[in-house]
Amino acid sequence: MERAQGLLSAELPVRRAACGVSAGTGAPLAGGVHGPGHLRALTAVVLDTLESAARTRGGPLPAGGPDEVARRTTALAAPVLPEEGIGAEAALADLVRAVAEGAADPADPACVAHLHCPPLAVAAAAELAGAALNPSMDSWDQAPAAGVIEELTTAALARLVHPEAPAPDALITSGGTESNLVALLLARERAAPGPLRVVTGANAHHSVHRAAWMLGLPAPTVVACHDGRIDPAALDRTLAGLGGGPVLVVATAGTTDEGRIDPLPEIARIAERYGAELHVDAAYGGPLLFSERLAPRLAGLDRAVSVTLDLHKLGWQPVAAGVLAVADTALLAPLSLRADYLNADDDTEAGLPDLLGRSVRTTRRPDALKMAVTFRALGRRGLSELVEHCVTTAEEFGRAVDARPALRRRPGAIGISTVLFRPVVADEREAEAGDAVVAEVRRTLLMDGRAVLGRAVAEDGDGRRRLWLKATLLHPAAASADLVPLLDLVTEAAERAAAAEGGDGLSAAGGTGAPAAERLSP
């Protein structure tokens, strides 16, 4: 009890700390005049630990699989809540080491499974500043300047998405899932008394279906896709069959599995013909707008009433960095809310900005800060170069796959920066057995800590759906030459899987006909 009171009393002179007096040594603060000094020493511990832990890990993923990672992490991190604290430096060294040695590191060129980007150093540094100052973006008196930064950032992004709209706007969100949820929420309110019906492709992100469920809407009507993209003729038939009423069509610009962009101009025309609104989930593909060369791939995006973006994907921001852009700021009116302690009427009338209606959340991080710092640092041209690098690298990687007799790329164009491929030995087996080889190759590389590849089920050239290895290339500096060793690893693992099969076939669950001791992974 005495120790707890001592730690508490160390935090009491907050006002004095802001004036330049330390708040005490028991619990030094990050803010105020002395905060940067405290942070400087502790940040050195973090950076040194991150550097040494990356060398210890020695690859994109820790070897040994879930059980071994859990064992090593627990040894460094437990007990998380000891009776007596071990001190800031020791706690940082242990837990940062645990999470860094056990990380899936997107800065490693062989970590390409997901839309999981390596954040830029300048964005991570801005994140530190935001965390130290800790503004909460729900009232002006908690975030005076941060609110201005957010306003400037959202205005720039809104104009990027809707360049010809008279009054576009945008919100900062936690990511694509929240952006899609808010888009459907706003559409539901416009449709009242409704009910709103949502029509989307079979390629849509699962968050669209989850949002409809959370909002009490009917389950979305799913439109057939061809080659991973919404079939316009199928959409036309679907809307004709609905017989009117409020409808929101949800298209995708950059699907999670294949990086495909729906035919947005055709979809927009069909939606307008039936009086439906259009929302585009461009969480992946939206940053193509930074590039004059690549932006035409998103033609028709500006005809959407709302657009989802995610800058913690092809934008190299630390999580979270989501955006929802709308064609007209008036569309955000349903989010308005009055809470006297945050945005009293008389305060708003007196000129204090009202931030509460800028989100469905109350307490929010200053996520716009890192975006703004990155934008200012690189400019649109610098961002364009990074986006174009990833797209070009994916195309070169696809050609490298094509040049390997032991590998086969999914037929068709590269989807933004996503490449699907599989070992030829998988094609030499029946459907389930072949897919099991692909799954086994991926798990083998994961367990060995040698590569982090994704998996996707997608249509092949013969129309059949098969399992593919997925490389999502978001590294803004890795060259195609850095990725060639990944193909060697896949080829080697496939040969091992084929040899271990012993003619009995791999099961769809990834097992083999060989004894357990000979299997490649648990």
Side-chain angles (χ1 to χ4, degrees):
M1 181 66 178
E2 291 179 0
R3 176 176 173 80
Q5 290 176 337
L7 288 174
L8 180 60
S9 65
E11 293 203 43
L12 289 178
V14 173
R15 189 169 183 174
R16 293 174 60 210
C19 298
V21 180
S22 174
T25 58
L29 302 178
V33 173
H34 296 284
H38 300 313
L39 276 176
R40 188 170 290 110
L42 295 175
T43 301
V45 175
V46 171
L47 296 178
D48 289 345
T49 305
L50 286 173
E51 188 174 23
S52 62
R55 290 196 178 100
T56 299
R57 187 182 63 246
L61 197 75
D67 291 342
E68 180 59 19
V69 171
R71 184 193 66 78
R72 291 196 299 259
T73 303
T74 301
L76 286 167
V80 170
L81 184 62
E83 188 64 29
E84 297 291 338
I86 66 173
E89 291 84 356
L92 275 170
D94 284 351
L95 273 78
V96 172
R97 177 170 300 281
V99 75
E101 288 184 355
D105 184 4
D108 190 299
C111 188
V112 294
H114 303 287
L115 288 162
H116 179 198
C117 74
L120 297 174
V122 68
E127 184 94 313
L128 173 62
L133 294 168
N134 207 31
S136 181
M137 306 301 298
D138 51 310
S139 67
W140 181 87
D141 57 354
Q142 298 177 85
V148 178
I149 297 294
E150 182 173 280
E151 183 179 0
L152 292 170
T153 305
T154 53
L157 289 168
R159 185 61 64 190
L160 184 71
V161 175
H162 293 105
E164 303 300 327
D169 204 346
L171 303 176
I172 301 298
T173 71
S174 60
T177 295
E178 183 185 336
S179 293
N180 287 337
L181 174 66
V182 176
L184 264 66
L185 168 65
L186 295 174
R188 185 193 70 178
E189 295 307 291
R190 292 193 298 274
L196 175 72
R197 283 173 290 185
V198 177
V199 175
T200 193
N203 59 353
H205 192 261
H206 61 79
S207 62
V208 175
H209 296 266
R210 178 173 286 187
W213 168 69
M214 292 176 69
L215 294 169
L217 298 172
T221 300
V222 177
V223 176
C225 291
H226 175 67
D227 195 27
R229 306 162 78 229
I230 285 179
D231 180 351
L235 175 63
D236 194 302
R237 290 192 298 272
T238 297
L239 294 181
L242 290 179
V247 174
L248 181 70
V249 175
V250 178
T252 307
T255 57
T256 302
D257 280 347
E258 304 177 58
R260 292 292 196 241
I261 298 173
D262 284 332
L264 301 180
E266 294 174 81
I267 290 172
R269 283 195 296 271
I270 294 168
E272 290 168 2
R273 186 185 310 147
Y274 290 97
E277 292 186 330
L278 174 64
H279 168 70
V280 178
D281 179 356
Y284 180 7
L288 296 178
L289 291 172
F290 291 125
S291 165
E292 289 186 8
R293 177 170 67 85
L294 299 175
R297 297 188 184 187
L298 297 179
L301 186 72
D302 59 340
R303 296 167 69 176
V305 69
S306 54
V307 176
T308 288
L309 303 176
D310 251 8
L311 293 172
H312 56 237
K313 292 182 171 65
L314 199 60
W316 310 286
Q317 299 297 295
V319 174
V323 178
L324 177 68
V326 294
D328 189 333
T329 188
L331 298 172
L332 301 177
L335 299 179
S336 297
L337 180 69
R338 190 64 60 188
D340 194 60
Y341 76 104
L342 294 174
N343 61 346
D345 285 332
D346 55 326
D347 277 348
T348 302
E349 292 170 3
L352 296 185
D354 179 2
L355 303 183
L356 190 57
R358 302 294 298 175
S359 177
V360 293
R361 295 172 285 160
T362 303
T363 301
R364 292 191 292 118
R365 294 160 44 88
D367 289 318
L369 174 61
K370 60 199 174 193
M371 302 181 201
V373 168
T374 302
F375 295 170
R376 287 271 292 173
L378 298 179
R380 184 166 179 176
R381 181 176 299 175
L383 291 165
S384 171
E385 290 174 356
L386 298 186
V387 172
E388 291 176 6
H389 172 85
C390 291
V391 172
T392 299
T393 300
E395 292 167 350
E396 293 173 351
F397 183 74
R399 289 194 289 270
V401 173
D402 293 339
R404 297 287 181 112
L407 302 174
R408 181 172 69 88
R409 184 169 60 86
R410 181 185 180 275
I414 301 295
I416 303 181
S417 65
T418 298
V419 182
L420 301 186
F421 64 105
R422 59 188 264 146
V424 170
V425 294
D427 294 338
E428 297 168 353
R429 287 148 178 80
E430 295 297 327
E432 288 190 10
D435 286 352
V437 168
V438 176
E440 189 75 359
V441 167
R442 175 178 177 271
R443 284 194 293 270
T444 296
L445 296 177
L446 286 176
M447 290 296 187
D448 292 345
R450 301 170 76 188
V452 189
L453 280 161
R455 55 184 290 162
V457 175
E459 189 177 297
D460 203 344
D462 61 3
R464 296 183 180 181
R465 293 179 64 78
R466 291 185 169 88
L467 182 64
W468 305 84
L469 296 171
K470 178 176 70 169
T472 306
L473 305 181
L474 301 181
H475 200 301
S480 54
D482 298 316
L483 298 163
V484 169
L486 183 61
L487 301 181
D488 295 332
L489 292 175
V490 170
T491 301
E492 176 192 343
E495 291 171 352
R496 289 166 56 191
E501 184 180 1
D504 292 326
L506 288 165
S507 73
T512 73
E518 297 181 26
R519 294 179 184 173
L520 294 176
S521 61

